[in-house]
Amino acid sequence: MASFRQILVATDYSTSSEQAVETAAALATRFGAELTVTNVIDDGGFPFPMPKGLREAARARLDETVAGLRARMLSASGVLREGLAWDEICASAADASADLLVIGSRGRLGLPRILLGSVAERVIRLSPVPVMTVRSSSEVAILAGGMGRFRHILAPTDFSEASQQGVDLAVKLALELEAALTLVYTYQPPNYAYFILDEVASSAETQIRGLLDEQLARVRARFPKAEGVVRQGDPSHGILDAAKARGADLIVLSTHGRHGVQRVLLGSVAEKIARLSPVPVLTVVVK
């Protein structure tokens, strides 16, 4: 099953990371998991002296966070690290033998994101374990405020072996959390689509629907109430629209851990969804 026994949550005490801590705490409560909280003193890779008292202040705040979790009867510990944030967070996940990493995402857009990158996006690419990204939003606040579990999971698919890993994890979680489950396939017609005859376009959608029905049949052998939807348009926006329309409060998907020019030019649907989604996104990187 998909039970999480060791959960690592990264915090920098921003609003989004505080929501990540609350979400991780709810999951730790639900699964009876050990919870490790990590904070990284990010030196940015520059060899400048660390301000006096910074380590002590960081340790004191981390200890305060852990004490608050323990007061809620959670088995929690804290790890303070120094270095590049994404490297140290991933190293913490490995050291803790975590099977889930939870991190806040600030959803930056435009030039600042391109120049600085996103810690959450880098962690998604480099993490040795599945990553749940959490943005500061009313939907997450409801979960953290006592709902204790996710009620509707959306699992994007493109019928590939890679996306099947995300679907499999979504099915396991839906079973354990007694949540509803919806599979979604999104497709974007090519630019010359207006030349395509209506019957040709209709045939293409029928084929897509047939493939989704085949996958649904396999999923329903394990989770009979699973549903499926087809969306047309940009994949990331189609997935987010489907999540909103279905009332999903968790998106589970898999992505290739691409690097270099190909990733920069083509981008990543998973990273866009993690950056823009108002609900938590659980990403499994297929190496």
Side-chain angles (χ1 to χ4, degrees):
M1 298 298 280
S3 294
F4 300 122
R5 298 303 179 194
Q6 297 285 342
I7 298 175
L8 178 92
V9 58
T11 183
D12 60 5
Y13 310 109
S14 63
T15 302
S16 60
S17 67
E18 292 290 354
Q19 293 284 23
V21 170
E22 287 299 315
T23 302
L27 289 169
T29 299
R30 173 63 181 80
F31 290 109
E34 301 279 339
L35 183 60
T36 301
V37 185
T38 187
N39 172 248
V40 179
I41 301 175
D42 193 338
D43 60 15
F46 298 108
F48 300 134
M50 187 172 295
K52 186 177 180 180
L54 179 59
R55 288 190 185 91
E56 292 76 8
R59 168 53 66 182
R61 186 156 190 185
L62 180 60
D63 289 345
E64 181 182 351
T65 298
V66 171
L69 293 168
R70 287 176 175 169
R72 294 155 62 179
M73 306 306 291
L74 285 163
S75 177
S77 59
V79 175
L80 183 67
R81 302 182 73 110
E82 298 175 21
L84 290 174
W86 51 86
D87 282 342
E88 296 302 325
I89 291 169
C90 291
S92 291
D95 290 348
S97 298
D99 42 28
L100 175 66
L101 194 165
V102 184
I103 186 171
S105 173
R106 298 181 185 179
R108 288 184 299 188
L109 297 172
L111 188 59
R113 195 194 69 80
I114 294 172
L115 293 177
L116 300 176
S118 162
V119 171
E121 289 175 19
R122 289 175 185 253
V123 168
I124 288 172
R125 264 177 267 150
L126 299 173
S127 173
V129 301
V131 178
M132 181 178 289
T133 49
V134 180
R135 287 184 64 192
S136 176
S137 65
S138 58
E139 290 91 340
V140 178
I142 291 172
L143 171 71
M147 193 166 73
R149 66 179 177 88
F150 296 102
R151 298 183 181 275
H152 196 140
I153 299 172
L154 186 84
T157 179
D158 62 8
F159 311 127
S160 67
E161 291 184 8
S163 71
Q164 185 62 46
Q165 292 193 29
V167 171
D168 287 342
L169 179 56
V171 171
K172 292 174 182 178
L173 284 173
L175 286 167
E176 291 203 24
L177 299 176
E178 298 178 346
L181 175 64
T182 299
L183 273 58
V184 58
Y185 176 85
T186 60
Y187 73 99
Q188 188 166 19
N191 294 331
Y192 55 82
Y194 57 87
F195 287 116
I196 299 177
L197 298 176
D198 288 344
E199 55 267 29
V200 175
S202 177
S203 175
E205 184 152 346
T206 298
Q207 291 179 1
I208 290 170
R209 184 73 240 188
L211 290 171
L212 183 58
D213 286 344
E214 289 178 7
Q215 187 169 30
L216 269 175
R218 294 191 294 271
V219 168
R220 284 172 177 161
R222 294 177 288 165
F223 192 84
K225 294 183 179 180
E227 298 181 350
V229 295
V230 175
R231 290 274 174 161
Q232 181 176 320
D234 173 77
S236 56
H237 288 99
I239 291 167
L240 293 173
D241 287 346
K244 182 178 180 180
R246 290 276 166 162
D249 47 23
L250 175 65
I251 299 173
V252 179
L253 75 167
S254 52
T255 181
H256 285 288
R258 293 179 297 181
H259 294 273
V261 175
Q262 184 185 25
R263 198 204 66 78
V264 172
L265 293 178
L266 298 180
S268 165
V269 171
E271 288 174 9
K272 289 181 182 178
I273 292 171
R275 187 166 68 249
L276 300 174
S277 175
V279 301
V281 178
L282 178 54
T283 306
V284 182
V285 176
V286 180
K287 301 298 184 180

